[in-house]
Amino acid sequence: QVQLVESGGGLVQSGGSLRLSCAVSGYSPGSYAIGWFRQAPGKEREGVSCISSSEATTYYQDLVKGRFTVSRDNAKNTVYLQMHSLKPEDTAVYYCAARWRDCHYAWPEYGSWGQGTQVTVSS
């Protein structure tokens, strides 16, 4: 079992940048794939990005590809989501979630979730 805590959200203007952090603790935190999901009011939760455990393979939703970068620092037990060229449609609560070993596109596959951090992008 692992615990996750997101941080780094905030208010930025369109075109700006933010870096979100996900601190992972508990049993073997480096053995989990960490996915990033987001949910805006009235919209379905959607996958944003994911990084797998040992091989650190990364995945991105097409809408964020080229703008967002996911990485992990296993020494710090932290996963990052670096976001550039933010758009108003990126506004949402962002969650990190853990799944054993490998990434998956569907959020119900992830067993542990952080509390979420708000990202707001103004025009």
Side-chain angles (χ1 to χ4, degrees), residues 4-86:
L4 305 95
V5 179
E6 303 97 334
S7 61
L11 173 64
V12 297
Q13 290 194 334
S14 182
S17 299
L18 281 174
R19 188 178 74 162
L20 306 184
S21 298
C22 177
V24 187
S25 62
Y27 174 73
S28 191
S31 296
Y32 290 84
I34 303 297
W36 288 96
F37 297 83
R38 66 187 183 187
Q39 188 164 23
K43 296 183 179 180
E44 193 172 315
R45 190 180 308 179
E46 63 179 359
V48 177
S49 184
C50 185
I51 185 165
S52 65
S53 55
S54 58
E55 67 271 30
T57 305
T58 58
Y59 302 88
Y60 301 94
Q61 181 200 121
D62 286 344
L63 271 58
V64 308
K65 197 172 297 180
R67 299 189 295 123
F68 292 10
T69 301
V70 65
S71 62
R72 69 191 304 159
D73 185 339
N74 287 327
K76 296 181 178 179
N77 295 139
T78 302
V79 174
Y80 304 97
L81 184 66
Q82 180 68 59
M83 306 184 293
H84 296 295
S85 301
L86 284 162

Side-chain angles (χ1 to χ4, degrees), residues 58-123:
T58 58
Y59 302 88
Y60 301 94
Q61 181 200 121
D62 286 344
L63 271 58
V64 308
K65 197 172 297 180
R67 299 189 295 123
F68 292 10
T69 301
V70 65
S71 62
R72 69 191 304 159
D73 185 339
N74 287 327
K76 296 181 178 179
N77 295 139
T78 302
V79 174
Y80 304 97
L81 184 66
Q82 180 68 59
M83 306 184 293
H84 296 295
S85 301
L86 284 162
K87 306 173 181 180
E89 50 263 46
D90 294 317
T91 295
V93 177
Y94 283 70
Y95 300 89
C96 61
R99 181 178 186 269
W100 185 253
R101 299 291 187 188
D102 299 317
C103 293
H104 199 282
Y105 66 89
W107 66 264
E109 291 290 322
Y110 294 76
S112 300
W113 291 79
Q115 82 288 351
T117 186
Q118 177 72 48
V119 172
T120 303
V121 185
S122 63
S123 300

